[in-house]
Amino acid sequence: MTSLAGIAQIVDEAARTATPIPQLTDSQPSLTVDDAYAIQALSVARRRARGERRAGFKMGLTSRAKMAQVGVSEVVWGRLTDAMRLEESAVLHRARYVHPRVEPEVAYILKKPLEGDVSAAEALAAVEAVAPAMEIIDSRYRCFKFALPDVIADNSSSSGFYVGGWAPATSDVANLGILMEVDGRPVQVGSTAAILGNPIRSLVAAARLVAKAGERLEAGDIVLAGGATAAYPLTPGQFVQTTFQSLGRLSFHVEA
Ligand code: OOG
Ligand code: MG
């Protein structure tokens, strides 16, 4: 059996070089969720050793549409680094990914730490601002196919994220209409309410789940609440634009 550090190197190299790999659970069916989070921590530590800085966390599989799309029905989380952040409207280079997809999300940025069991009111009190966002997910597994431990070990498919203009923490984002368009055609229509009924619940879950790994959400961390709709595959030439009712709009072009 390959060591956890050995597996972390495999998933990190797959992400770094945009090379697909077989599912880990094919060869190691006994891999647990705890092993997978340990692999994730080791693989992100390799990114940190290359100079990438902590940017926050991403929550995943927080909506039914997302769970149904990938056939995994547990909430997962992953770590964000500054290198994953794409400047607003920056071009997305398809060649840097295995098979990227985009999904509409809500981003929070914190002004205070959050740790363990907190109420929605306590979570909201730690929020500095909220913004419309799009996450670029890119499973490193062939055909975007994985079981729960695979996706966790692969940093929950995180690979990039766009954040739009920040709005005050008091903005009501509980049930905002979302329209994602590619080349002017609607490809996903939904609501922020699809994210655990209210995206603030995703921040509550983040505080609890990250604490289980012995860490906490810190002031300055960005937390992505999870895709509100199924994710959409990206190919060169596309212009992607997502509009969030009353929260704003963000867009990018895909190039080869
Ligand atoms: C897993 C990551 C899920 C989300 O927002 O639900 C995720 C995947 O779908 O590859 O980022
Ligand atoms: Mg996501």
PDB file of all heavy atoms in Angstrom, residues 25-63:
ATOM      1  N   THR A  25      -9.429   4.709  -5.062  1.00  0.00           N
ATOM      2  CA  THR A  25     -10.184   3.615  -4.438  1.00  0.00           C
ATOM      3  C   THR A  25     -10.243   2.372  -5.330  1.00  0.00           C
ATOM      4  O   THR A  25     -10.625   1.307  -4.859  1.00  0.00           O
ATOM      5  CB  THR A  25     -11.615   4.072  -4.080  1.00  0.00           C
ATOM      6  OG1 THR A  25     -12.224   4.643  -5.236  1.00  0.00           O
ATOM      7  CG2 THR A  25     -11.594   5.087  -2.952  1.00  0.00           C
ATOM      8  N   ASP A  26      -9.850   2.490  -6.610  1.00  0.00           N
ATOM      9  CA  ASP A  26      -9.774   1.296  -7.469  1.00  0.00           C
ATOM     10  C   ASP A  26      -8.698   0.354  -6.935  1.00  0.00           C
ATOM     11  O   ASP A  26      -8.893  -0.853  -6.854  1.00  0.00           O
ATOM     12  CB  ASP A  26      -9.408   1.675  -8.910  1.00  0.00           C
ATOM     13  CG  ASP A  26     -10.604   2.236  -9.669  1.00  0.00           C
ATOM     14  OD1 ASP A  26     -11.721   2.175  -9.124  1.00  0.00           O
ATOM     15  OD2 ASP A  26     -10.407   2.739 -10.796  1.00  0.00           O
ATOM     16  N   SER A  27      -7.525   0.949  -6.579  1.00  0.00           N
ATOM     17  CA  SER A  27      -6.412   0.111  -6.115  1.00  0.00           C
ATOM     18  C   SER A  27      -6.367   0.019  -4.589  1.00  0.00           C
ATOM     19  O   SER A  27      -5.743  -0.882  -4.043  1.00  0.00           O
ATOM     20  CB  SER A  27      -5.095   0.656  -6.656  1.00  0.00           C
ATOM     21  OG  SER A  27      -4.973   2.020  -6.317  1.00  0.00           O
ATOM     22  N   GLN A  28      -7.013   0.982  -3.891  1.00  0.00           N
ATOM     23  CA  GLN A  28      -6.988   0.969  -2.417  1.00  0.00           C
ATOM     24  C   GLN A  28      -8.402   1.133  -1.878  1.00  0.00           C
ATOM     25  O   GLN A  28      -8.763   2.197  -1.364  1.00  0.00           O
ATOM     26  CB  GLN A  28      -6.081   2.082  -1.904  1.00  0.00           C
ATOM     27  CG  GLN A  28      -4.726   2.022  -2.586  1.00  0.00           C
ATOM     28  CD  GLN A  28      -3.634   2.716  -1.808  1.00  0.00           C
ATOM     29  OE1 GLN A  28      -3.510   2.560  -0.603  1.00  0.00           O
ATOM     30  NE2 GLN A  28      -2.832   3.485  -2.508  1.00  0.00           N
ATOM     31  N   PRO A  29      -9.207   0.079  -2.000  1.00  0.00           N
ATOM     32  CA  PRO A  29     -10.617   0.181  -1.603  1.00  0.00           C
ATOM     33  C   PRO A  29     -10.822   0.463  -0.120  1.00  0.00           C
ATOM     34  O   PRO A  29     -11.909   0.890   0.277  1.00  0.00           O
ATOM     35  CB  PRO A  29     -11.211  -1.180  -2.009  1.00  0.00           C
ATOM     36  CG  PRO A  29     -10.057  -2.080  -2.256  1.00  0.00           C
ATOM     37  CD  PRO A  29      -8.856  -1.246  -2.537  1.00  0.00           C
ATOM     38  N   SER A  30      -9.764   0.246   0.701  1.00  0.00           N
ATOM     39  CA  SER A  30      -9.928   0.470   2.149  1.00  0.00           C
ATOM     40  C   SER A  30      -9.650   1.917   2.560  1.00  0.00           C
ATOM     41  O   SER A  30      -9.706   2.253   3.744  1.00  0.00           O
ATOM     42  CB  SER A  30      -9.011  -0.481   2.921  1.00  0.00           C
ATOM     43  OG  SER A  30      -7.678  -0.233   2.534  1.00  0.00           O
ATOM     44  N   LEU A  31      -9.348   2.787   1.590  1.00  0.00           N
ATOM     45  CA  LEU A  31      -9.060   4.193   1.903  1.00  0.00           C
ATOM     46  C   LEU A  31     -10.264   4.827   2.618  1.00  0.00           C
ATOM     47  O   LEU A  31     -11.384   4.775   2.115  1.00  0.00           O
ATOM     48  CB  LEU A  31      -8.788   4.940   0.591  1.00  0.00           C
ATOM     49  CG  LEU A  31      -7.982   6.222   0.657  1.00  0.00           C
ATOM     50  CD1 LEU A  31      -6.523   5.917   1.006  1.00  0.00           C
ATOM     51  CD2 LEU A  31      -8.038   6.938  -0.689  1.00  0.00           C
ATOM     52  N   THR A  32     -10.029   5.437   3.784  1.00  0.00           N
ATOM     53  CA  THR A  32     -11.133   6.032   4.542  1.00  0.00           C
ATOM     54  C   THR A  32     -11.225   7.534   4.276  1.00  0.00           C
ATOM     55  O   THR A  32     -10.303   8.144   3.716  1.00  0.00           O
ATOM     56  CB  THR A  32     -10.927   5.841   6.062  1.00  0.00           C
ATOM     57  OG1 THR A  32      -9.777   6.609   6.443  1.00  0.00           O
ATOM     58  CG2 THR A  32     -10.719   4.387   6.427  1.00  0.00           C
ATOM     59  N   VAL A  33     -12.315   8.116   4.751  1.00  0.00           N
ATOM     60  CA  VAL A  33     -12.494   9.566   4.640  1.00  0.00           C
ATOM     61  C   VAL A  33     -11.408  10.285   5.448  1.00  0.00           C
ATOM     62  O   VAL A  33     -10.854  11.299   5.005  1.00  0.00           O
ATOM     63  CB  VAL A  33     -13.924   9.953   5.094  1.00  0.00           C
ATOM     64  CG1 VAL A  33     -14.038  11.432   5.402  1.00  0.00           C
ATOM     65  CG2 VAL A  33     -14.929   9.550   4.021  1.00  0.00           C
ATOM     66  N   ASP A  34     -11.057   9.756   6.622  1.00  0.00           N
ATOM     67  CA  ASP A  34      -9.987  10.371   7.420  1.00  0.00           C
ATOM     68  C   ASP A  34      -8.646  10.314   6.679  1.00  0.00           C
ATOM     69  O   ASP A  34      -7.893  11.292   6.672  1.00  0.00           O
ATOM     70  CB  ASP A  34      -9.858   9.685   8.785  1.00  0.00           C
ATOM     71  CG  ASP A  34     -10.988  10.087   9.727  1.00  0.00           C
ATOM     72  OD1 ASP A  34     -11.685  11.082   9.432  1.00  0.00           O
ATOM     73  OD2 ASP A  34     -11.183   9.398  10.742  1.00  0.00           O
ATOM     74  N   ASP A  35      -8.349   9.160   6.059  1.00  0.00           N
ATOM     75  CA  ASP A  35      -7.119   9.056   5.242  1.00  0.00           C
ATOM     76  C   ASP A  35      -7.148  10.140   4.160  1.00  0.00           C
ATOM     77  O   ASP A  35      -6.155  10.806   3.888  1.00  0.00           O
ATOM     78  CB  ASP A  35      -7.050   7.710   4.497  1.00  0.00           C
ATOM     79  CG  ASP A  35      -6.858   6.513   5.400  1.00  0.00           C
ATOM     80  OD1 ASP A  35      -6.376   6.684   6.534  1.00  0.00           O
ATOM     81  OD2 ASP A  35      -7.205   5.387   4.960  1.00  0.00           O
ATOM     82  N   ALA A  36      -8.321  10.273   3.532  1.00  0.00           N
ATOM     83  CA  ALA A  36      -8.446  11.193   2.398  1.00  0.00           C
ATOM     84  C   ALA A  36      -8.183  12.639   2.824  1.00  0.00           C
ATOM     85  O   ALA A  36      -7.493  13.384   2.125  1.00  0.00           O
ATOM     86  CB  ALA A  36      -9.823  11.052   1.766  1.00  0.00           C
ATOM     87  N   TYR A  37      -8.711  13.039   3.994  1.00  0.00           N
ATOM     88  CA  TYR A  37      -8.439  14.411   4.457  1.00  0.00           C
ATOM     89  C   TYR A  37      -6.961  14.574   4.829  1.00  0.00           C
ATOM     90  O   TYR A  37      -6.390  15.652   4.638  1.00  0.00           O
ATOM     91  CB  TYR A  37      -9.366  14.806   5.614  1.00  0.00           C
ATOM     92  CG  TYR A  37     -10.714  15.301   5.113  1.00  0.00           C
ATOM     93  CD1 TYR A  37     -11.876  14.594   5.334  1.00  0.00           C
ATOM     94  CD2 TYR A  37     -10.797  16.500   4.378  1.00  0.00           C
ATOM     95  CE1 TYR A  37     -13.108  15.047   4.853  1.00  0.00           C
ATOM     96  CE2 TYR A  37     -12.022  16.961   3.892  1.00  0.00           C
ATOM     97  CZ  TYR A  37     -13.172  16.226   4.134  1.00  0.00           C
ATOM     98  OH  TYR A  37     -14.368  16.684   3.642  1.00  0.00           O
ATOM     99  N   ALA A  38      -6.343  13.504   5.320  1.00  0.00           N
ATOM    100  CA  ALA A  38      -4.902  13.574   5.620  1.00  0.00           C
ATOM    101  C   ALA A  38      -4.105  13.742   4.318  1.00  0.00           C
ATOM    102  O   ALA A  38      -3.155  14.540   4.244  1.00  0.00           O
ATOM    103  CB  ALA A  38      -4.461  12.320   6.369  1.00  0.00           C
ATOM    104  N   ILE A  39      -4.514  13.023   3.273  1.00  0.00           N
ATOM    105  CA  ILE A  39      -3.842  13.153   1.961  1.00  0.00           C
ATOM    106  C   ILE A  39      -4.018  14.582   1.436  1.00  0.00           C
ATOM    107  O   ILE A  39      -3.070  15.214   0.959  1.00  0.00           O
ATOM    108  CB  ILE A  39      -4.422  12.130   0.948  1.00  0.00           C
ATOM    109  CG1 ILE A  39      -4.081  10.705   1.385  1.00  0.00           C
ATOM    110  CG2 ILE A  39      -3.915  12.415  -0.461  1.00  0.00           C
ATOM    111  CD1 ILE A  39      -4.902   9.628   0.677  1.00  0.00           C
ATOM    112  N   GLN A  40      -5.247  15.094   1.567  1.00  0.00           N
ATOM    113  CA  GLN A  40      -5.522  16.460   1.103  1.00  0.00           C
ATOM    114  C   GLN A  40      -4.601  17.462   1.808  1.00  0.00           C
ATOM    115  O   GLN A  40      -3.998  18.332   1.172  1.00  0.00           O
ATOM    116  CB  GLN A  40      -6.983  16.829   1.362  1.00  0.00           C
ATOM    117  CG  GLN A  40      -7.330  18.217   0.900  1.00  0.00           C
ATOM    118  CD  GLN A  40      -8.684  18.720   1.407  1.00  0.00           C
ATOM    119  OE1 GLN A  40      -8.783  19.750   2.064  1.00  0.00           O
ATOM    120  NE2 GLN A  40      -9.744  18.003   1.065  1.00  0.00           N
ATOM    121  N   ALA A  41      -4.474  17.325   3.138  1.00  0.00           N
ATOM    122  CA  ALA A  41      -3.620  18.256   3.899  1.00  0.00           C
ATOM    123  C   ALA A  41      -2.170  18.154   3.418  1.00  0.00           C
ATOM    124  O   ALA A  41      -1.495  19.178   3.227  1.00  0.00           O
ATOM    125  CB  ALA A  41      -3.719  17.948   5.388  1.00  0.00           C
ATOM    126  N   LEU A  42      -1.705  16.928   3.195  1.00  0.00           N
ATOM    127  CA  LEU A  42      -0.316  16.736   2.743  1.00  0.00           C
ATOM    128  C   LEU A  42      -0.122  17.284   1.331  1.00  0.00           C
ATOM    129  O   LEU A  42       0.921  17.861   1.010  1.00  0.00           O
ATOM    130  CB  LEU A  42       0.046  15.247   2.775  1.00  0.00           C
ATOM    131  CG  LEU A  42       0.184  14.632   4.178  1.00  0.00           C
ATOM    132  CD1 LEU A  42       0.143  13.105   4.108  1.00  0.00           C
ATOM    133  CD2 LEU A  42       1.493  15.104   4.828  1.00  0.00           C
ATOM    134  N   SER A  43      -1.113  17.114   0.488  1.00  0.00           N
ATOM    135  CA  SER A  43      -0.968  17.591  -0.890  1.00  0.00           C
ATOM    136  C   SER A  43      -1.002  19.123  -0.941  1.00  0.00           C
ATOM    137  O   SER A  43      -0.227  19.748  -1.678  1.00  0.00           O
ATOM    138  CB  SER A  43      -2.028  16.920  -1.763  1.00  0.00           C
ATOM    139  OG  SER A  43      -2.776  17.832  -2.465  1.00  0.00           O
ATOM    140  N   VAL A  44      -1.862  19.748  -0.109  1.00  0.00           N
ATOM    141  CA  VAL A  44      -1.881  21.221  -0.097  1.00  0.00           C
ATOM    142  C   VAL A  44      -0.599  21.751   0.565  1.00  0.00           C
ATOM    143  O   VAL A  44      -0.087  22.803   0.180  1.00  0.00           O
ATOM    144  CB  VAL A  44      -3.174  21.757   0.564  1.00  0.00           C
ATOM    145  CG1 VAL A  44      -3.144  23.278   0.679  1.00  0.00           C
ATOM    146  CG2 VAL A  44      -4.396  21.323  -0.242  1.00  0.00           C
ATOM    147  N   ALA A  45      -0.036  21.006   1.514  1.00  0.00           N
ATOM    148  CA  ALA A  45       1.248  21.406   2.121  1.00  0.00           C
ATOM    149  C   ALA A  45       2.347  21.456   1.049  1.00  0.00           C
ATOM    150  O   ALA A  45       3.251  22.294   1.117  1.00  0.00           O
ATOM    151  CB  ALA A  45       1.632  20.432   3.236  1.00  0.00           C
ATOM    152  N   ARG A  46       2.268  20.571   0.066  1.00  0.00           N
ATOM    153  CA  ARG A  46       3.252  20.601  -1.033  1.00  0.00           C
ATOM    154  C   ARG A  46       3.103  21.895  -1.830  1.00  0.00           C
ATOM    155  O   ARG A  46       4.084  22.504  -2.245  1.00  0.00           O
ATOM    156  CB  ARG A  46       3.062  19.380  -1.949  1.00  0.00           C
ATOM    157  CG  ARG A  46       3.346  18.051  -1.261  1.00  0.00           C
ATOM    158  CD  ARG A  46       2.986  16.888  -2.183  1.00  0.00           C
ATOM    159  NE  ARG A  46       3.749  16.948  -3.420  1.00  0.00           N
ATOM    160  CZ  ARG A  46       4.938  16.373  -3.587  1.00  0.00           C
ATOM    161  NH1 ARG A  46       5.483  15.670  -2.615  1.00  0.00           N
ATOM    162  NH2 ARG A  46       5.570  16.484  -4.742  1.00  0.00           N
ATOM    163  N   ARG A  47       1.845  22.318  -2.040  1.00  0.00           N
ATOM    164  CA  ARG A  47       1.614  23.586  -2.761  1.00  0.00           C
ATOM    165  C   ARG A  47       2.166  24.743  -1.943  1.00  0.00           C
ATOM    166  O   ARG A  47       2.783  25.673  -2.489  1.00  0.00           O
ATOM    167  CB  ARG A  47       0.114  23.806  -3.009  1.00  0.00           C
ATOM    168  CG  ARG A  47      -0.531  22.725  -3.846  1.00  0.00           C
ATOM    169  CD  ARG A  47      -2.017  23.002  -4.052  1.00  0.00           C
ATOM    170  NE  ARG A  47      -2.221  24.114  -4.955  1.00  0.00           N
ATOM    171  CZ  ARG A  47      -2.858  24.040  -6.134  1.00  0.00           C
ATOM    172  NH1 ARG A  47      -3.383  22.898  -6.546  1.00  0.00           N
ATOM    173  NH2 ARG A  47      -2.994  25.098  -6.891  1.00  0.00           N
ATOM    174  N   ARG A  48       1.933  24.694  -0.622  1.00  0.00           N
ATOM    175  CA  ARG A  48       2.426  25.760   0.258  1.00  0.00           C
ATOM    176  C   ARG A  48       3.955  25.800   0.206  1.00  0.00           C
ATOM    177  O   ARG A  48       4.559  26.879   0.198  1.00  0.00           O
ATOM    178  CB  ARG A  48       1.946  25.531   1.691  1.00  0.00           C
ATOM    179  CG  ARG A  48       0.419  25.533   1.842  1.00  0.00           C
ATOM    180  CD  ARG A  48      -0.174  26.922   1.739  1.00  0.00           C
ATOM    181  NE  ARG A  48       0.358  27.809   2.766  1.00  0.00           N
ATOM    182  CZ  ARG A  48      -0.106  27.897   4.011  1.00  0.00           C
ATOM    183  NH1 ARG A  48      -1.127  27.148   4.385  1.00  0.00           N
ATOM    184  NH2 ARG A  48       0.437  28.734   4.863  1.00  0.00           N
ATOM    185  N   ALA A  49       4.593  24.613   0.150  1.00  0.00           N
ATOM    186  CA  ALA A  49       6.062  24.543   0.095  1.00  0.00           C
ATOM    187  C   ALA A  49       6.579  25.155  -1.210  1.00  0.00           C
ATOM    188  O   ALA A  49       7.721  25.613  -1.274  1.00  0.00           O
ATOM    189  CB  ALA A  49       6.515  23.097   0.230  1.00  0.00           C
ATOM    190  N   ARG A  50       5.735  25.183  -2.248  1.00  0.00           N
ATOM    191  CA  ARG A  50       6.132  25.819  -3.518  1.00  0.00           C
ATOM    192  C   ARG A  50       5.853  27.322  -3.502  1.00  0.00           C
ATOM    193  O   ARG A  50       6.011  27.996  -4.512  1.00  0.00           O
ATOM    194  CB  ARG A  50       5.389  25.175  -4.689  1.00  0.00           C
ATOM    195  CG  ARG A  50       5.818  23.744  -5.001  1.00  0.00           C
ATOM    196  CD  ARG A  50       5.374  23.289  -6.383  1.00  0.00           C
ATOM    197  NE  ARG A  50       3.935  23.200  -6.545  1.00  0.00           N
ATOM    198  CZ  ARG A  50       3.209  22.108  -6.263  1.00  0.00           C
ATOM    199  NH1 ARG A  50       3.798  21.024  -5.820  1.00  0.00           N
ATOM    200  NH2 ARG A  50       1.908  22.112  -6.434  1.00  0.00           N
ATOM    201  N   GLY A  51       5.337  27.830  -2.370  1.00  0.00           N
ATOM    202  CA  GLY A  51       5.154  29.281  -2.238  1.00  0.00           C
ATOM    203  C   GLY A  51       3.719  29.759  -2.289  1.00  0.00           C
ATOM    204  O   GLY A  51       3.452  30.956  -2.165  1.00  0.00           O
ATOM    205  N   GLU A  52       2.768  28.834  -2.477  1.00  0.00           N
ATOM    206  CA  GLU A  52       1.366  29.260  -2.512  1.00  0.00           C
ATOM    207  C   GLU A  52       0.901  29.597  -1.101  1.00  0.00           C
ATOM    208  O   GLU A  52       1.321  28.975  -0.135  1.00  0.00           O
ATOM    209  CB  GLU A  52       0.486  28.151  -3.107  1.00  0.00           C
ATOM    210  CG  GLU A  52       0.814  27.916  -4.560  1.00  0.00           C
ATOM    211  CD  GLU A  52      -0.091  26.895  -5.233  1.00  0.00           C
ATOM    212  OE1 GLU A  52      -1.265  26.763  -4.853  1.00  0.00           O
ATOM    213  OE2 GLU A  52       0.400  26.223  -6.161  1.00  0.00           O
ATOM    214  N   ARG A  53       0.037  30.601  -0.990  1.00  0.00           N
ATOM    215  CA  ARG A  53      -0.430  31.039   0.328  1.00  0.00           C
ATOM    216  C   ARG A  53      -1.881  30.659   0.571  1.00  0.00           C
ATOM    217  O   ARG A  53      -2.679  30.571  -0.362  1.00  0.00           O
ATOM    218  CB  ARG A  53      -0.256  32.549   0.438  1.00  0.00           C
ATOM    219  CG  ARG A  53       1.218  32.875   0.586  1.00  0.00           C
ATOM    220  CD  ARG A  53       1.411  34.278   1.107  1.00  0.00           C
ATOM    221  NE  ARG A  53       2.274  34.971   0.158  1.00  0.00           N
ATOM    222  CZ  ARG A  53       2.079  36.191  -0.287  1.00  0.00           C
ATOM    223  NH1 ARG A  53       1.041  36.892   0.126  1.00  0.00           N
ATOM    224  NH2 ARG A  53       2.918  36.724  -1.137  1.00  0.00           N
ATOM    225  N   ARG A  54      -2.194  30.475   1.830  1.00  0.00           N
ATOM    226  CA  ARG A  54      -3.567  30.150   2.238  1.00  0.00           C
ATOM    227  C   ARG A  54      -4.535  31.238   1.782  1.00  0.00           C
ATOM    228  O   ARG A  54      -4.264  32.424   1.953  1.00  0.00           O
ATOM    229  CB  ARG A  54      -3.571  30.060   3.766  1.00  0.00           C
ATOM    230  CG  ARG A  54      -4.928  29.939   4.402  1.00  0.00           C
ATOM    231  CD  ARG A  54      -4.793  30.202   5.904  1.00  0.00           C
ATOM    232  NE  ARG A  54      -6.065  30.105   6.573  1.00  0.00           N
ATOM    233  CZ  ARG A  54      -6.370  29.167   7.457  1.00  0.00           C
ATOM    234  NH1 ARG A  54      -5.477  28.261   7.797  1.00  0.00           N
ATOM    235  NH2 ARG A  54      -7.553  29.143   8.021  1.00  0.00           N
ATOM    236  N   ALA A  55      -5.657  30.832   1.202  1.00  0.00           N
ATOM    237  CA  ALA A  55      -6.677  31.814   0.818  1.00  0.00           C
ATOM    238  C   ALA A  55      -8.012  31.512   1.493  1.00  0.00           C
ATOM    239  O   ALA A  55      -8.892  32.365   1.516  1.00  0.00           O
ATOM    240  CB  ALA A  55      -6.853  31.839  -0.698  1.00  0.00           C
ATOM    241  N   GLY A  56      -8.187  30.302   2.015  1.00  0.00           N
ATOM    242  CA  GLY A  56      -9.438  29.962   2.678  1.00  0.00           C
ATOM    243  C   GLY A  56      -9.853  28.537   2.383  1.00  0.00           C
ATOM    244  O   GLY A  56      -9.001  27.653   2.229  1.00  0.00           O
ATOM    245  N   PHE A  57     -11.168  28.331   2.290  1.00  0.00           N
ATOM    246  CA  PHE A  57     -11.707  26.981   2.133  1.00  0.00           C
ATOM    247  C   PHE A  57     -12.842  26.987   1.115  1.00  0.00           C
ATOM    248  O   PHE A  57     -13.452  28.018   0.868  1.00  0.00           O
ATOM    249  CB  PHE A  57     -12.248  26.465   3.472  1.00  0.00           C
ATOM    250  CG  PHE A  57     -11.169  26.302   4.510  1.00  0.00           C
ATOM    251  CD1 PHE A  57     -10.873  27.340   5.391  1.00  0.00           C
ATOM    252  CD2 PHE A  57     -10.428  25.137   4.583  1.00  0.00           C
ATOM    253  CE1 PHE A  57      -9.871  27.203   6.342  1.00  0.00           C
ATOM    254  CE2 PHE A  57      -9.418  24.992   5.527  1.00  0.00           C
ATOM    255  CZ  PHE A  57      -9.141  26.020   6.412  1.00  0.00           C
ATOM    256  N   LYS A  58     -13.098  25.817   0.553  1.00  0.00           N
ATOM    257  CA  LYS A  58     -14.261  25.638  -0.312  1.00  0.00           C
ATOM    258  C   LYS A  58     -15.122  24.525   0.250  1.00  0.00           C
ATOM    259  O   LYS A  58     -14.615  23.509   0.723  1.00  0.00           O
ATOM    260  CB  LYS A  58     -13.830  25.261  -1.725  1.00  0.00           C
ATOM    261  CG  LYS A  58     -13.122  23.926  -1.795  1.00  0.00           C
ATOM    262  CD  LYS A  58     -13.153  23.324  -3.164  1.00  0.00           C
ATOM    263  CE  LYS A  58     -14.490  22.693  -3.496  1.00  0.00           C
ATOM    264  NZ  LYS A  58     -14.517  22.144  -4.852  1.00  0.00           N
ATOM    265  N   MET A  59     -16.410  24.736   0.210  1.00  0.00           N
ATOM    266  CA  MET A  59     -17.351  23.685   0.564  1.00  0.00           C
ATOM    267  C   MET A  59     -17.849  23.074  -0.739  1.00  0.00           C
ATOM    268  O   MET A  59     -17.946  23.757  -1.761  1.00  0.00           O
ATOM    269  CB  MET A  59     -18.513  24.258   1.358  1.00  0.00           C
ATOM    270  CG  MET A  59     -18.082  24.865   2.679  1.00  0.00           C
ATOM    271  SD  MET A  59     -17.320  23.641   3.750  1.00  0.00           S
ATOM    272  CE  MET A  59     -18.788  22.708   4.219  1.00  0.00           C
ATOM    273  N   GLY A  60     -18.148  21.787  -0.711  1.00  0.00           N
ATOM    274  CA  GLY A  60     -18.616  21.134  -1.934  1.00  0.00           C
ATOM    275  C   GLY A  60     -19.758  20.189  -1.640  1.00  0.00           C
ATOM    276  O   GLY A  60     -19.936  19.724  -0.507  1.00  0.00           O
ATOM    277  N   LEU A  61     -20.535  19.919  -2.669  1.00  0.00           N
ATOM    278  CA  LEU A  61     -21.679  19.008  -2.591  1.00  0.00           C
ATOM    279  C   LEU A  61     -22.663  19.468  -1.512  1.00  0.00           C
ATOM    280  O   LEU A  61     -23.170  18.678  -0.731  1.00  0.00           O
ATOM    281  CB  LEU A  61     -21.193  17.567  -2.397  1.00  0.00           C
ATOM    282  CG  LEU A  61     -20.124  17.150  -3.436  1.00  0.00           C
ATOM    283  CD1 LEU A  61     -19.676  15.714  -3.235  1.00  0.00           C
ATOM    284  CD2 LEU A  61     -20.613  17.370  -4.863  1.00  0.00           C
ATOM    285  N   THR A  62     -22.915  20.779  -1.516  1.00  0.00           N
ATOM    286  CA  THR A  62     -23.857  21.391  -0.575  1.00  0.00           C
ATOM    287  C   THR A  62     -25.219  21.615  -1.227  1.00  0.00           C
ATOM    288  O   THR A  62     -26.099  22.209  -0.612  1.00  0.00           O
ATOM    289  CB  THR A  62     -23.308  22.726  -0.033  1.00  0.00           C
ATOM    290  OG1 THR A  62     -22.898  23.544  -1.140  1.00  0.00           O
ATOM    291  CG2 THR A  62     -22.108  22.517   0.876  1.00  0.00           C
ATOM    292  N   SER A  63     -25.378  21.194  -2.488  1.00  0.00           N
ATOM    293  CA  SER A  63     -26.702  21.284  -3.129  1.00  0.00           C
ATOM    294  C   SER A  63     -27.053  19.927  -3.741  1.00  0.00           C
ATOM    295  O   SER A  63     -26.159  19.149  -4.092  1.00  0.00           O
ATOM    296  CB  SER A  63     -26.720  22.371  -4.210  1.00  0.00           C
ATOM    297  OG  SER A  63     -25.904  22.004  -5.311  1.00  0.00           O
TER     298      SER A  63
END
